[in-house]
């Protein structure tokens, strides 16, 4: 029996006895401690994250490395995080001095003001109306709060996640609605025809799905598995989550006869199916795209 076949046999056995992902967890632990990989370290972390779900105990660490918050070499992590904490405290203090925040300011709004200040986009008053990009930041920060316990980590991961969307995926995100239509047609052309008949295709909640990356749509326990793929190099996973939502609720959507009703339903889908939706979406993503690394 070859090494690969032995590994596959062990993986199947572990899953049957309830220890799904045991070998993957061990592989990640070895990878996180291996400094010999040099420039390939981040690439290997990306590959792992694209192929497997990240163990929850390592998710924040992997995200911080992939988003550039921490360097690849783990010996430097403590020192770099000290710098990150100092910067966090300095920005927080500055906002307190100019009375932009107080003890009563919700934490996600604190993160937003910090991000605005560091980006040179702080308005003259905290009462100024929010821009659409601010609403996106708040939605992502609110979801991130449920995934990342430490406030310093939460701010940095949220900030760098949003920056990734605005920079790395800037050209890709506007193309996702078209890709969604393409893949839905491949999976269920009748369902797409119904959406077109109802003039619903252009009115689907694309901002919720693609700009906010399903923050506020899926529960965080399911959402973090989608964000593993976004952080590690593919925003296209968002397309397949959207497609799978339509496939999962096909009967309900087919029974609705107006764009308004369809959109309203899709903005507030039942939460009890979210884990299955994400699992099927990841399978669908692999089916159509293989295992892309660093691909948008």
């Amino acid at each position: 029996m070859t090494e690969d076949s032995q590994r596959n046999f062990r993986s199947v056995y572990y899953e049957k006895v309830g220890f799904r992902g045991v070998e993957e967890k061990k592989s990640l632990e070895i990878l996180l401690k291996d400094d010999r990989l040099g420039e390939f370290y981040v690439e290997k972390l990306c590959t792992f994250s694209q192929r497997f779900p990240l163990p929850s105990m390592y998710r924040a660490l992997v995200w911080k490395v992939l988003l550039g918050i921490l360097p690849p070499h783990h010996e430097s992590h403590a020192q770099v995080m000290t710098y990150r904490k100092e910067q966090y405290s300095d920005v927080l203090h500055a906002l307190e001095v100019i009375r932009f925040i107080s003890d009563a300011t919700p934490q996600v709004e604190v993160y937003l003001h910090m991000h605005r200040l560091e980006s040179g986009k702080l308005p003259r008053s905290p009462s100024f109306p929010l821009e659409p990009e601010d609403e996106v930041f708040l939605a992502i920060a609110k979801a991130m709060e449920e995934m990342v316990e430490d406030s310093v980590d939460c701010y940095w991961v949220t900030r760098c996640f949003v920056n990734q969307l605005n920079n790395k995926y800037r050209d890709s995100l506007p193309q996702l609605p078209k890709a969604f239509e393409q893949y839905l047609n491949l999976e269920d052309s009748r369902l797409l025809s119904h959406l077109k008949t109802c003039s619903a295709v252009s009115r689907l909640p694309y901002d919720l799905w693609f700009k906010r990356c399903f923050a506020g749509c899926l529960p965080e326990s399911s959402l973090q598995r989608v964000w593993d793929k976004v952080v590690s190099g593919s925003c296209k996973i968002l397309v397949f989550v959207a497609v799978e939502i339509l496939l999962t609720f096909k009967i309900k959507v087919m029974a609705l006869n107006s764009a308004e009703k369809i959109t309203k339903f899709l903005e507030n889908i039942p939460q009890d199916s979210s884990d299955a939706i994400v699992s099927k979406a990841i399978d669908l993503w692999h089916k159509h795209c293989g295992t892309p690394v660093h691909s948008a």
Side-chain angles (χ1 to χ4, degrees):
M1 186 181 291
T2 66
E3 184 177 345
D4 283 345
S5 60
Q6 285 179 331
R7 181 191 173 284
N8 291 337
F9 172 80
R10 288 197 301 272
S11 294
V12 170
Y13 171 76
Y14 282 138
E15 288 187 16
K16 284 185 177 180
V17 297
F19 292 98
R20 185 177 183 181
V22 168
E23 288 208 326
E24 284 75 14
K25 180 173 176 286
K26 289 180 179 178
S27 298
L28 180 59
E29 288 172 347
I30 293 170
L31 178 58
L32 288 170
K33 295 176 182 177
D34 193 348
D35 276 348
R36 296 171 299 171
L37 296 170
E39 62 183 280
F40 300 109
Y41 181 84
V42 172
E43 183 178 337
K44 285 187 173 293
L45 270 185
C46 284
T47 301
F48 183 96
S49 302
Q50 300 258 302
R51 292 185 63 192
F52 309 111
L54 289 173
S56 57
M57 64 187 296
Y58 294 119
R59 178 169 279 113
L61 172 59
V62 172
W63 283 11
K64 285 192 287 184
V65 172
L66 295 184
L67 291 170
I69 299 163
L70 289 175
H73 299 290
H74 63 85
E75 286 96 344
S76 305
H77 287 181
Q79 184 176 8
V80 171
M81 275 315 299
T82 297
Y83 297 148
R84 299 297 190 194
K85 289 176 183 177
E86 290 174 354
Q87 185 175 342
Y88 176 94
S89 297
D90 289 344
V91 177
L92 193 65
H93 179 66
L95 289 169
E96 291 169 345
V97 169
I98 61 176
R99 298 182 179 179
F100 238 82
I101 60 172
S102 68
D103 291 341
T105 307
Q107 192 64 49
V108 291
E109 292 183 21
V110 171
Y111 296 149
L112 174 61
H113 294 318
M114 291 176 70
H115 178 61
R116 287 162 143 186
L117 180 58
E118 292 202 282
S119 304
K121 297 179 180 179
L122 192 69
R124 294 180 181 178
S125 166
S127 61
F128 269 43
L130 294 174
E131 298 290 336
E133 63 185 27
D134 298 329
E135 299 281 6
V136 170
F137 186 97
L138 287 173
I140 290 173
K142 186 176 181 181
M144 201 70 77
E145 264 196 321
E146 300 299 319
M147 303 179 195
V148 183
E149 292 182 5
D150 182 80
S151 58
V152 176
D153 284 351
C154 186
Y155 169 67
W156 278 104
V157 174
T158 301
R159 173 190 165 182
C160 293
F161 184 90
V162 170
N163 285 344
Q164 184 188 56
L165 296 179
N166 293 337
N167 296 310
K168 181 176 181 178
Y169 298 139
R170 180 182 57 193
D171 296 331
S172 301
L173 289 175
Q175 306 302 318
L176 297 188
K178 183 177 180 181
F180 162 78
E181 188 174 339
Q182 172 192 345
Y183 289 111
L184 182 60
N185 185 54
L186 290 173
E187 292 297 318
D188 196 320
S189 58
R190 184 165 169 260
L191 181 52
L192 178 61
S193 295
H194 175 70
L195 294 177
K196 289 182 175 179
T197 299
C198 297
S199 301
V201 174
S202 63
R203 297 179 60 183
L204 295 176
Y206 295 126
D207 283 0
L208 174 64
W209 291 349
F210 304 144
K211 288 187 178 180
R212 301 189 184 194
C213 300
F214 293 95
C217 177
L218 298 175
E220 287 73 21
S221 57
S222 303
L223 187 62
Q224 59 192 6
R225 295 167 57 205
V226 177
W227 286 8
D228 284 344
K229 313 307 179 189
V230 176
V231 169
S232 61
S234 178
C235 67
K236 204 166 187 178
I237 181 64
L238 302 172
V239 169
F240 295 101
V241 176
V243 169
E244 190 55 48
I245 286 174
L246 266 298
L247 296 177
T248 298
F249 298 111
K250 174 181 177 178
I251 295 175
K252 174 68 175 179
V253 172
M254 292 290 282
L256 300 173
N257 56 10
S258 75
E260 183 180 1
K261 290 178 181 178
I262 290 172
T263 301
K264 185 177 181 181
F265 171 75
L266 293 175
E267 288 176 340
N268 300 278
I269 61 170
Q271 301 287 286
D272 54 359
S273 303
S274 59
D275 281 341
I277 287 171
V278 170
S279 295
K280 291 177 182 178
I282 291 173
D283 289 343
L284 206 58
W285 174 60
H286 285 305
K287 169 187 169 182
H288 288 287
C289 301
T291 308
V293 179
H294 309 306
S295 64

